[in-house]
Amino acid sequence: MAKHTKTFGPSPVIPVDERSVTSHMVHFVSYASNPILAGLQPLEYTGWRDESLSWHDSSYIHANLNPSPTYRFWGADSIEFLKKYCGNSFEKFPVGFAKHGIMLDEQGRIMVDGLLVRREEDFITYWMNPWLQYCVENSELDVQGEDVTGKVFMFQLGGPTCLQVLDAASGENLHDIKFIHHRMSKIAGRDVMILRVGMAGSLAYEVHGNVEDAIPVYEQILKAGVKYGLKRLGTPAYNMTHWENGFPQAYLDFPLPWFEHKEFAAWLREREIGFLCDPEIVKDSLSGSVGQDFAARYRNPIELGWGKTINMDHEFVGKKAVEELKAKSSRQMVTLEWNKEDILDIHRSQLGDPVPYKDISSPEDLAFGGIYPADWVLNDKGEQVGVSSGRMVSWFYREMISLCSIDEAYLNEGTDVWVLWGEPGTRQKKVRAKVARYPYFNECRNQKVDTSLIPVGTMD
């Protein structure tokens, strides 16, 4: 008897697109505690090469993060709650502002991070659930919350012309929105919140609204974008935005230590989402020469380059551990450029060797079957000095790059290291690599773009 499998229809937030260059589809399943619609979305539209040029020379729209884990909360003690559970400072957090919220465990490891937005009457977060909800429900402070995953949508836009696209779509001049600020607007007659933030490093925005308004808003943005070269991003190209931008991210570059927290794991199981902290499921998702060494995969904010975001002006969970990390030598993030001759040798082995090296033909690992890739980085003595994750082919720069957490002695650009390619117990290759600039994309970064120099976008 055939095993029953659940089928999914089109995504509820984007129109059906039969012009995709590939028949491969992906469904994105939420981490919400309540069942919601999950839909199929193309892996590619015009091909990963074309799409990955968009944040350099035109603009893009990405919708494959729908539905994102989304949680809103409110209450008299909301700021005190944030101070207790986040490493960020909240002395200045006015309405209309947003922060990269970072929550740690007592060992200083990342428990969750995401976008934290302050609105008139409440706060709304993206990708900070379910840990944030667990903290709200177990806090003695005056704070309440609601899981709104699946009730809202989020579209990401980026690239040199993305502001003009949004101007045209809204019929409004949006140049006044400063970096990491937001305000309300309308697109296709629907209320939306527009936030200036992005993952690719270039000028970028997010559009948020109610899920029932998603498709007309999306269609209006596409219509406005024709004039400005707007492209749609599939999953591979979206993953690449993080690595060119130098922004390591949970679920892509490192796992979260949820299954090590027994009370939280029990809370997840009570809500029938215990698979999120099942160690056996997590083990099955690991790839790369690091193998199943969890300790080597977890990350703290110092080695991720988020030390400036963590502020020691208040007491918070994990503060003591962060103080100890800051006081000693710590690994830090760099970009690695992989040696092209070694890459070609791996390709050659697929056709010429009885036992080839691990396949390296995909443009990046995650969308094509690899999850949490992590490879040991070695020095010339063969000693482990770092962990590389998120390998990608950067079509714009014509390089294969990866993000790497590496010992302090190896931070200088041009330093030679080796990436150990291949799973434990299989044929492995030491790929030559060099420490490169970090972040790799360093032209016209979002926070430095002077939007007053950009013409206001209009519809034809």
Side-chain angles (χ1 to χ4, degrees):
M1 180 179 293
K3 183 178 179 180
H4 174 72
T5 58
K6 185 175 181 179
T7 59
F8 294 88
S11 167
V13 298
I14 62 173
V16 175
D17 185 345
E18 297 179 353
R19 294 172 295 172
S20 170
V21 301
T22 177
S23 61
H24 293 107
M25 307 289 276
V26 59
H27 70 263
F28 186 83
V29 181
S30 165
Y31 296 138
S33 57
N34 296 317
I36 62 169
L37 290 174
L40 298 173
Q41 301 179 17
L43 278 176
E44 296 178 319
Y45 289 90
T46 56
W48 65 268
R49 291 177 178 84
D50 181 60
E51 293 168 23
S52 67
L53 296 177
S54 61
W55 54 87
H56 294 279
D57 58 21
S58 57
S59 55
Y60 68 80
I61 182 170
H62 177 253
N64 283 19
L65 286 190
N66 289 289
S68 291
T70 310
Y71 189 78
R72 60 180 287 265
F73 64 93
W74 62 92
D77 293 335
S78 291
I79 292 294
E80 291 305 312
F81 170 81
L82 290 172
K83 289 181 177 179
K84 179 178 179 180
Y85 291 103
C86 293
N88 310 70
S89 175
F90 293 95
E91 293 305 315
K92 295 182 180 180
F93 192 20
V95 172
F97 196 69
K99 284 181 179 285
H100 173 210
I102 302 172
M103 304 178 76
L104 311 174
D105 65 6
E106 293 291 357
Q107 297 181 48
R109 302 175 299 186
I110 304 294
M111 276 299 282
V112 76
D113 76 287
L115 193 63
L116 175 62
V117 178
R118 185 166 192 179
R119 307 192 295 190
E120 289 284 352
E121 304 293 335
D122 61 9
F123 300 80
I124 191 163
T125 69
Y126 304 88
W127 289 93
M128 297 183 73
N129 229 24
W131 176 249
L132 180 64
Q133 182 177 349
Y134 170 78
C135 293
V136 167
E137 293 184 5
N138 288 277
S139 172
E140 296 179 356
L141 297 170
D142 181 6
V143 59
Q144 302 85 44
E146 174 191 13
D147 185 351
V148 294
T149 306
K151 299 178 181 179
V152 294
F153 72 85
M154 173 180 67
F155 298 144
Q156 299 169 305
L157 291 92
T161 66
C162 68
L163 176 55
Q164 292 166 288
V165 173
L166 287 176
D167 283 342
S170 65
E172 188 178 0
N173 185 336
L174 301 172
H175 289 52
D176 61 309
I177 304 177
K178 299 178 181 178
F179 178 66
I180 212 73
H181 285 70
H182 63 90
R183 70 172 174 85
M184 297 301 295
S185 183
K186 285 183 180 291
I187 295 179
R190 274 71 169 184
D191 291 328
V192 293
M193 179 182 74
I194 299 180
L195 168 68
R196 182 175 167 184
V197 71
M199 300 309 304
S202 57
L203 179 66
Y205 296 83
E206 289 184 352
V207 178
H208 299 259
N210 295 321
V211 70
E212 58 269 20
D213 298 329
I215 290 180
V217 169
Y218 188 91
E219 290 178 329
Q220 177 70 1
I221 293 173
L222 285 185
K223 182 179 179 181
V226 171
K227 180 178 178 180
Y228 299 101
L230 184 72
K231 301 174 184 177
R232 288 165 289 181
L233 288 195
T235 301
Y238 172 73
N239 291 342
M240 293 174 180
T241 65
H242 297 76
W243 302 318
E244 278 197 356
N245 182 25
F247 194 91
Q249 185 162 325
Y251 312 108
L252 297 182
D253 295 286
F254 58 92
L256 303 170
W258 289 354
F259 72 82
E260 296 186 13
H261 294 261
K262 294 182 180 180
E263 293 81 4
F264 180 50
W267 184 89
L268 290 172
R269 286 192 290 271
E270 288 175 0
R271 285 153 183 78
E272 298 184 349
I273 50 175
F275 66 91
L276 294 176
C277 64
D278 187 323
E280 296 305 316
I281 293 178
V282 176
K283 287 179 181 178
D284 288 342
S285 70
L286 306 181
S287 64
S289 60
V290 170
Q292 297 185 352
D293 186 339
F294 283 100
R297 293 170 175 273
Y298 295 141
R299 293 289 173 264
N300 64 66
I302 307 304
E303 64 181 312
L304 292 179
W306 300 347
K308 293 181 180 179
T309 304
I310 302 297
N311 196 302
M312 312 308 285
D313 65 355
H314 63 293
E315 295 299 320
F316 59 89
V317 175
K319 180 178 180 178
K320 182 178 179 180
V322 172
E323 288 175 332
E324 293 175 353
L325 288 167
K326 284 190 171 185
K328 65 181 183 180
S329 174
S330 174
R331 286 184 172 177
Q332 297 182 39
M333 297 301 298
V334 297
T335 309
L336 295 183
E337 287 180 349
W338 294 35
N339 182 274
K340 295 176 182 177
E341 291 182 0
D342 289 351
I343 295 168
L344 291 175
D345 186 51
I346 295 172
H347 283 293
R348 181 203 57 77
S349 76
Q350 309 300 311
L351 299 176
D353 295 356
V355 180
Y357 294 114
K358 177 182 175 181
D359 186 20
I360 203 170
S361 61
S362 65
E364 53 89 25
D365 294 318
L366 296 171
F368 295 92
I371 306 176
Y372 294 137
D375 295 303
W376 290 119
V377 175
L378 313 174
N379 62 13
D380 56 1
K381 298 178 182 178
E383 299 168 329
Q384 297 170 357
V385 297
V387 176
S388 169
S389 65
R391 174 197 65 87
M392 66 166 282
V393 176
S394 175
W395 190 244
F396 181 83
Y397 296 106
R398 297 301 198 273
E399 296 282 354
M400 182 175 286
I401 64 173
S402 67
L403 298 185
C404 175
S405 170
I406 201 166
D407 290 351
E408 202 169 40
Y410 301 88
L411 296 176
N412 292 335
E413 287 187 32
T415 300
D416 292 320
V417 292
W418 286 259
V419 179
L420 185 60
W421 177 253
E423 311 299 323
T426 70
R427 186 186 183 194
Q428 296 178 317
K429 182 177 178 65
K430 291 170 61 176
V431 178
R432 289 170 288 175
K434 285 186 180 294
V435 174
R437 63 185 180 275
Y438 181 81
Y440 205 70
F441 174 86
N442 59 5
E443 315 99 85
C444 303
R445 294 187 65 81
N446 193 347
Q447 56 268 46
K448 295 182 179 181
V449 174
D450 184 354
T451 57
S452 68
L453 302 177
I454 300 175
V456 176
T458 59
M459 296 286 286
D460 282 333

